[in-house]
Amino acid sequence: MKLLYFAWVRQKTGRGEETVPLPAGCSNLRDLASRLAVRSAGYADAFGDLRRLRAAINQEHADWDALIGEDDEIAFFPPVTGG
Amino acid sequence: MKLLYFAWVRQKTGRGEETVPLPAGCSNLRDLASRLAVRSAGYADAFGDLRRLRAAINQEHADWDALIGEDDEIAFFPPVTGG
Amino acid sequence: MKTRIAIQCEPFDAAAEIAGLSDGAGAVATFTGFVRREGDLATLRLEHYPGMTEREIARHIGEAQARWPLLAATVVHRVGSLKPGEPIVFVGTAALHRREAFAACEFLMDYLKTRAPFWKEETRAGVTRWVDAKATDDHAAARWKQ
Amino acid sequence: MKTRIAIQCEPFDAAAEIAGLSDGAGAVATFTGFVRREGDLATLRLEHYPGMTEREIARHIGEAQARWPLLAATVVHRVGSLKPGEPIVFVGTAALHRREAFAACEFLMDYLKTRAPFWKEETRAGVTRWVDAKATDDHAAARWKQ
């Protein structure tokens, strides 16, 4: 699956995107975020508090309960501040 | 007093403005309009039906009951259609 | 507050008007009215009451300013002969926040339609007639009194 | 309906955008947002999610179109580095009547603020930080759901 990071999520993870296999037993966005949170101090900082974070699946806003699959493009980012 | 006519009021009276003495016994806009209405067929056409007409005293919208004086600038016109 | 009122025959430059409104403002809302392209409409001619027009518009800008924290307001209204598709009126408002800018812009347009002394005369298929006022415009303006 | 969505670093020409929206329309409402001139704000930098941004905006234009009889809608959003006073966003809507144009323009702005994937980073006195989302923007967008 393709993972994208924006704004401070990108800065904390140290990368804008990466391609990873769907972790085993990981069915929704919340599962995925908790797996990412243990990868490093930077990832822990980015994914430690989901209340500060938002996500999209295949370029559409999604809740933490949303189901994910191997072919999805998944993005993590802070609440948006455009306009 | 100075009288101004706009849009079809101007066309029916045949003039854009005129200066006339305040007619005796004429205290408000309704009185004035009824005096003007008897001046000619054109004026009768313009002032015959006050529901179709609006007026201003000294460049401010005014009701037919509004009092008028010798030094006033009085304008008669149809409902406005700008914008 | 910065106020600009112009009654003119010439077209206006909306970009320049917006730039003039924006100084330090976060939010500029505008409305531009155009002569509709309708089947047989050939020409629209606008007449106004010089002096009263500017006073009425200034008064309504003052009312808008009393209701919302505006930084600037601009009203440009064209008079004379216009063709279908041509811009006829521009209203722009600037505020720190968009909510106030939108509300004031809509308020000014509603009052311009019902209180500013302009009259439209249209020519269709060689026949010229004065345009009647619309009841919907009165209703639009009345809602600000509630 | 004519739709234009542009995400760009360059400034935009509001007059050209309005002219592009107006074809046959009686009413064009616009909103232009500017980087505020605040005491120590030196630079604002905008980042976005290419692909999703355009999709989200197109989706909201579709929603606006389902609610109001729109003739055209334009959204231009700048990204990259901007200075205080510079225009950052333009939203324009065209309809036969002003009420619909205003409502749709405000609707699009509210959704742009809360749903379109843009992020602002500001630099003040040499310190760079990400701008937090505002609860007032969520409230503004929520009122369209009532």
Side-chain angles (χ1 to χ4, degrees):
Chain A
M1 63 199 329
K2 187 175 174 187
L3 303 182
L4 300 174
Y5 309 119
F6 293 98
W8 54 251
V9 183
R10 176 177 46 73
Q11 291 175 325
K12 289 177 197 292
T13 62
R15 67 197 70 186
E17 66 175 87
E18 60 186 323
T19 301
V20 299
L22 177 64
C26 194
S27 68
N28 64 24
L29 281 175
R30 185 179 288 105
D31 296 340
L32 177 61
S34 66
R35 302 295 179 92
L36 291 169
V38 297
R39 284 174 74 179
S40 73
Y43 277 77
D45 194 13
F47 293 95
D49 181 0
L50 295 191
R51 289 170 305 180
R52 302 167 61 214
L53 211 59
R54 299 290 180 273
I57 301 175
N58 299 325
Q59 307 192 346
E60 287 191 21
H61 291 285
D63 294 331
W64 294 114
D65 295 327
L67 300 179
I68 57 176
E70 188 66 57
D71 297 330
D72 288 338
E73 172 179 306
I74 295 177
F76 295 100
F77 44 78
V80 306
T81 54
Chain B
M1 64 199 330
K2 186 177 174 186
L3 303 182
L4 300 174
Y5 309 119
F6 293 97
W8 54 251
V9 184
R10 175 176 48 73
Q11 291 175 324
K12 289 176 196 293
T13 62
R15 68 198 69 187
E17 65 175 86
E18 60 185 323
T19 301
V20 300
L22 177 64
C26 195
S27 68
N28 63 26
L29 281 175
R30 186 179 285 104
D31 296 340
L32 177 61
S34 65
R35 300 297 180 92
L36 291 169
V38 298
R39 283 173 77 180
S40 74
Y43 277 77
D45 194 15
F47 292 94
D49 181 0
L50 296 192
R51 289 170 305 180
R52 302 169 60 213
L53 211 59
R54 299 290 181 270
I57 302 175
N58 298 323
Q59 305 191 346
E60 287 191 21
H61 290 286
D63 293 331
W64 294 112
D65 294 327
L67 300 179
I68 56 176
E70 187 65 55
D71 297 330
D72 288 339
E73 172 179 307
I74 295 176
F76 295 100
F77 44 77
V80 305
T81 54
Chain C
M1 193 185 78
K2 204 162 63 167
T3 294
R4 173 168 138 71
I5 297 168
I7 314 299
Q8 62 189 44
C9 293
E10 303 73 39
F12 45 81
D13 177 352
E17 300 296 347
I18 290 172
L21 281 159
S22 76
D23 185 47
V28 172
T30 78
F31 178 85
T32 308
F34 294 82
V35 182
R36 296 218 184 113
R37 290 187 207 278
E38 284 173 8
D40 57 350
L41 180 64
T43 314
L44 196 68
R45 201 183 60 77
L46 275 115
E47 168 173 333
H48 79 120
Y49 181 174
M52 179 169 170
T53 312
E54 293 82 351
R55 283 177 62 150
E56 270 294 310
I57 294 172
R59 206 161 62 77
H60 291 128
I61 289 177
E63 272 189 43
Q65 196 186 354
R67 284 166 178 254
W68 298 283
L70 295 183
L71 298 169
T74 293
V75 173
V76 182
H77 204 301
R78 293 177 70 190
V79 290
S81 280
L82 299 172
K83 296 287 175 197
E86 279 198 78
I88 175 169
V89 61
F90 176 92
V91 173
T93 50
L96 280 177
H97 305 287
R98 66 187 181 285
R99 187 74 53 239
E100 290 82 11
F102 273 119
C105 189
E106 205 165 354
F107 171 91
L108 286 175
M109 266 312 297
D110 285 348
Y111 273 82
L112 209 55
K113 285 266 183 189
T114 54
R115 305 288 289 178
F118 292 96
W119 299 276
K120 283 179 185 147
E121 190 187 52
E122 56 181 33
T123 301
R124 294 172 186 267
V127 179
T128 297
R129 53 175 285 279
W130 293 96
V131 175
D132 286 330
K134 279 191 290 187
T136 50
D137 286 328
D138 285 331
H139 295 149
R143 79 202 161 104
W144 298 104
K145 290 184 181 152
Q146 287 159 8
Chain D
M1 192 184 77
K2 205 162 60 168
T3 294
R4 175 169 137 71
I5 298 169
I7 315 298
Q8 60 189 45
C9 293
E10 304 73 39
F12 45 81
D13 177 353
E17 300 296 347
I18 291 172
L21 283 159
S22 77
D23 185 48
V28 173
T30 78
F31 178 85
T32 309
F34 294 83
V35 182
R36 297 222 181 112
R37 290 187 206 280
E38 283 173 8
D40 57 351
L41 180 65
T43 312
L44 196 67
R45 200 183 61 78
L46 274 117
E47 169 173 333
H48 79 121
Y49 181 173
M52 179 170 170
T53 313
E54 293 82 352
R55 284 176 61 147
E56 270 294 310
I57 294 172
R59 207 161 61 78
H60 291 127
I61 289 177
E63 272 189 42
Q65 195 186 355
R67 283 165 178 255
W68 298 284
L70 295 184
L71 299 170
T74 294
V75 172
V76 183
H77 204 301
R78 292 176 72 190
V79 290
S81 280
L82 299 171
K83 296 287 175 198
E86 278 199 79
I88 175 171
V89 61
F90 176 91
V91 173
T93 50
L96 279 175
H97 305 287
R98 67 187 181 284
R99 186 77 51 241
E100 289 82 11
F102 273 119
C105 189
E106 207 166 350
F107 170 91
L108 286 175
M109 266 312 297
D110 285 348
Y111 274 81
L112 209 54
K113 286 265 182 190
T114 55
R115 304 287 289 179
F118 291 97
W119 300 276
K120 285 180 184 146
E121 190 187 52
E122 56 181 33
T123 302
R124 295 171 185 268
V127 179
T128 296
R129 52 176 285 278
W130 292 96
V131 175
D132 285 330
K134 280 192 288 185
T136 52
D137 286 327
D138 285 331
H139 295 149
R143 79 201 162 105
W144 297 105
K145 291 183 181 154
Q146 287 158 8

